[in-house]
Amino acid sequence: MSPKESSKQSASVAPAEPSPATPREPRYTPSEIEPKWSERWAAQPDLYGCEPASAGKKKYYVLEMLPYPSGQLHMGHVRNYAIGDALARYMWMQGYNVLHPMGWDAFGLPAENAALKNNTPPRQWTLQNIAAMKRQMNRIGLSYDWRNEVTTCLPDYYRWNQWFFIRMFERGLAYRKKSKVNWCPACCTVLANEQVINGYCWRHEDVLVEQRDLEQWFLRITNYAQELLDELNKLDGWPEKVRTMQRNWIGRSEGAEVEFAIAPAAPDEEQEKPKNAAELIKSALEPNHAGTRVLPPLENVQAAGKKVSVFTTRIDTIYGATSIQLAPEHPLVKEFAASNEKLAREVAALLDQQKKAREDGDVGEIEKHGVFTGHYAINSFNNERLPIWVANYILLDYGTGAIMSVPAHDERDYEFAKKYGLEVRIVILPRRTSEDTSREDEEPLLPYTAEDSLLINSGEFNTLGNQEAQHKMAAYAEEHSFGKATVTYRLKDWGISRQRYWGTPIPMLYCEKDGIVPVPDSQLPVLLPENVEITQEGGSPLGKIPEFVNATCPKCGGPARRETDTMDTFVDSSWYFYRYTSARYDKGPFDTAAVSYWFPIDQYIGGVEHAILHLIYSRFWTKVMRDMGLVKNSEPIERLFTQGMVIRNGAKMSKSKGNVVSPDDMIARYGADATRAYALFAAPPDRDLDWQEDGVAGVSRFLGRVFRFVTRHANRTAGVNNATPTSQALQRKLHQTIRKITEDFGGRWHFNTSIAAIMELVNALTAAEPQIAAGEVPDAVLAEILRNLVLLLAPFAPYLASELWEQIGGKGELLRAPWPKFDEALAKEDEIEIPVQINGKLCNVIRVPANADEDMLRDTALADEKVQARIAGREIVKAIIVPGKLINLVVK
Ligand SMILES: [Zn+2]
Ligand SMILES: [Zn+2]
């Protein structure tokens, strides 16, 4: 069918095409095309199935993060999956054996909340939601291999969580210790951090949440801290920001641990107790002039009593320490406060401030407060007595929960010392003044913290460079048994106990005779009981089921109590992607042969909000499995991509903001192809996407134009056989488009520009309709163009592409059709010469592609040597650029 009206326009922005009202002109109706193909695809359960490892083909494992089955996909999901799906389809067309699975992160608190609210058992609620979301995914046309679906709340999956847990217990990687939990005294249960709102219970607005010590299970991730840090350097395929976030989370710092003896009494009491340790020290000392001192008999100090251990990264400044600062929860503080009610009250206030700051996530920004305990500690380097303070910005879980405060050389210490009038003593100076340390007027601006400095006022360590001093002073402390060089990490062991119902039961038993006994492998899985009443009050729901709690000890046959805590759901997501390779395997967590073929994951795609916990736990789990001999790879993920958020009206889409766009609505109105193609087109995938419904409509109109163009020319059989200028221009455009999209897939994934390139190609084709109608394009060329246009569209709009593939008589499954190859010779752009004038005078002539736009012309001109020489040092006040004609730069 050829167009009746022809346009005289040349290839410009808005080429005309035949009016849709033309008789028998087919209409693009996604509401018909898409369900038809959905049905056909559903009838081929193997369509997206991967081939077994034994097929020996080159593999590609592309994975999107598995969702929590809330019951409704949101646009963030659609965007995430559209990216993964485009890539999977592209890799299939490139001839790879592709694994593209999907599953459900199905345990977790929302199911319990829903159970309370709707009186539906968590399992039923979860499985209903999974079914609903799976329907949505299939409607969108996502190419998932459902034969390898993984649902983490089902026993065939979580039994392996239990199996792994027991293996870790055997290896000393799972252990129990007392730990702080959030406890609501009204609920009589532990709360997750997100259930603590400004310090109050989420269900009891007026009940303050307490911190309680509870026995909890931990996984020893800290054993792998250094390896987790080191191997970040090898993850070249990860975004730098994610690697940085993980580095900060692991938080390695090199430094020294130094013990300060606690002076046993306050100064005014000393005289009355001549035999105490402070006296011993005092008597052992000569008057303490800088540089000449006799060191104390340290054994005596240590033997005399308590010590406080501080971690410092700057032991070289220890002579400048003028106080010791403890975290409010430090055990020594408890002791001091036990006999001092005023102190106890003040410490409680400091702790409250710290907790609030922690909840708000900005301990670093906290307004610093502190209180003097009335006690002193002794600096073993110079035997000075340092007042011991408690400060709200010191955290118990970082380092040792105690610091030495060196106000002259630390920002925080300086701020604190100024506020409370503590001594500020300079002990390092910039190197340049080292020759003349007597010149007081050259003191650096405080606090002075530079790494490259020299020591002063530091006894025998004076004049050392600070790096050297750090080694020597740590060695000195070690030699005298009051300290040593150490490395600390911010990373803590992973607490996995949850006093919740909807999670994996921890497979442990407690026997009075045998203590902690793991459930034997033959008794796995420990099934999560059904029909449990969820009240979220009175402790763990499993603890209220006698049939669950009461068990038999496998060692002695006597009675045993079963662990009633369940596992953190991050356990489920730490290894789920291994299970995808052999999801029905029942002799182990996965088939190791399949895993060694498919791993590492070639491309993982998900939100940056998982940059830390999920991705660190996954890396840890892989290293443990490697050490168990289960996998060969040390890292699970080769390349990671974090997509941007979907926002609308300036905010992330969320129910509370009322700015949610439902994928179902969009699909009903514009079709799945338009919705997903828009999600790729509207912004580069790594950036935030500002949702505009007009944009979806625009993409839908574009797909309509493709549909009509291909349909019009699908069965054409009249035309010349020789190349004409029009056919050459169209071929050139086609091959440039193929090149562009192929490069986008291989590089930065700027699918927005890929789709824009297809739009340009379609513009060029529509603009050439009069010439095509006049037979100026050989059939073979037109057929090649149509075929390739459909192939290029396949990763982005698979429904429409499949429909058109059928129309043009494409052979076989579109998904397995080879991706088009570009011909560099055909893609080569004609070049033209453009004069560059400066202030109206010809400067040079540059060669540019015939279609170079203003930006390209400007860039090429400014990069030209002659032009650069002429404008050197002058300001360009104006650039007159006429594409295809000339460039005139006005400079002064
Ligand atoms: Zn409560
Ligand atoms: Zn026993």
Side-chain angles (χ1 to χ4, degrees), residues 511 513-514 553 555-556:
C511 167
K513 243 170 75 193
D514 300 302
C553 171
K555 275 196 181 163
C556 68

Side-chain angles (χ1 to χ4, degrees), residues 94-164:
Q94 285 285 10
Y96 284 81
N97 184 17
V98 176
L99 176 58
H100 188 217
M102 185 40 79
W104 313 97
D105 191 11
F107 273 137
L109 196 53
E112 290 182 45
N113 296 339
L116 267 181
K117 207 170 139 194
N118 312 326
N119 206 21
T120 315
R123 182 187 159 97
Q124 188 189 332
W125 183 82
T126 304
L127 296 181
Q128 281 168 357
N129 287 350
I130 288 174
M133 288 169 82
K134 201 165 163 179
R135 267 197 305 279
Q136 283 183 299
M137 286 177 175
N138 286 331
R139 178 62 189 86
I140 294 166
L142 300 170
S143 58
Y144 295 132
D145 176 7
W146 291 117
R147 296 175 316 177
N148 280 312
E149 180 179 1
V150 164
T151 305
T152 61
C153 68
L154 299 180
D156 72 336
Y157 184 79
Y158 71 68
R159 70 173 293 183
W160 301 111
N161 284 345
Q162 296 173 340
W163 183 87
F164 275 121

Side-chain angles (χ1 to χ4, degrees), residues 483-714:
K484 60 177 194 290
T486 59
V487 172
T488 61
Y489 299 92
R490 185 177 169 272
L491 182 72
K492 297 293 164 226
D493 278 341
W494 174 13
I496 60 148
S497 291
R498 297 291 181 272
Q499 292 70 35
R500 296 281 158 222
Y501 164 67
W502 193 233
T504 303
I506 295 176
M508 295 307 238
L509 297 163
Y510 303 95
C511 167
E512 278 202 8
K513 243 170 75 193
D514 300 302
I516 299 174
V517 183
V519 172
D521 282 4
S522 60
Q523 290 175 24
L524 297 183
V526 176
L527 283 173
L528 191 60
E530 303 274 332
N531 304 321
V532 173
E533 196 203 347
I534 311 238
T535 60
Q536 295 192 345
E537 284 178 17
S540 169
L542 294 179
K544 287 177 267 176
I545 308 169
E547 311 88 276
F548 182 82
V549 178
N550 299 324
T552 306
C553 171
K555 275 196 181 163
C556 68
R561 182 174 56 83
R562 204 181 282 285
E563 170 67 67
T564 56
D565 285 352
T566 54
M567 295 183 198
D568 179 7
T569 57
F570 275 114
V571 169
D572 308 329
S573 53
S574 287
W575 68 277
Y576 75 102
F577 34 56
Y578 287 93
R579 183 82 181 156
Y580 281 145
T581 63
S582 41
R584 304 292 158 258
Y585 192 70
D586 61 2
K587 295 174 192 66
F590 43 75
D591 176 356
T592 52
V595 160
S596 70
Y597 170 72
W598 286 109
F599 268 77
I601 296 164
D602 294 279
Q603 183 69 61
Y604 196 24
I605 306 162
V608 76
E609 65 274 20
H610 298 295
I612 298 173
L613 298 180
H614 164 54
L615 288 168
I616 283 202
Y617 294 150
S618 300
R619 296 180 58 220
F620 160 66
W621 209 277
T622 290
K623 291 171 194 304
V624 173
M625 295 199 302
R626 176 204 60 199
D627 291 349
M628 290 170 64
L630 276 175
V631 302
K632 295 191 187 80
N633 51 299
S634 275
E635 288 286 339
I637 300 148
E638 182 93 17
R639 284 170 59 89
L640 172 71
F641 187 87
T642 52
Q643 85 273 358
M645 287 190 302
V646 179
I647 57 176
R648 186 161 168 253
N649 306 331
K652 183 179 177 179
M653 280 191 192
S654 75
K655 268 186 200 153
S656 62
K657 297 231 167 56
N659 61 351
V660 172
V661 175
S662 147
D664 289 348
D665 285 356
M666 289 295 114
I667 291 168
R669 223 168 293 173
Y670 304 104
D673 275 345
T675 305
R676 54 190 283 172
Y678 173 74
L680 295 175
F681 172 67
D686 54 341
R687 304 281 182 75
D688 288 349
L689 185 165
D690 187 7
W691 192 269
Q692 306 280 350
E693 193 169 333
D694 287 357
V696 193
V699 170
S700 174
R701 283 193 300 275
F702 156 68
L703 294 176
R705 290 176 60 207
V706 177
F707 174 80
R708 290 187 297 276
F709 181 84
V710 175
T711 308
R712 275 197 297 273
H713 301 288

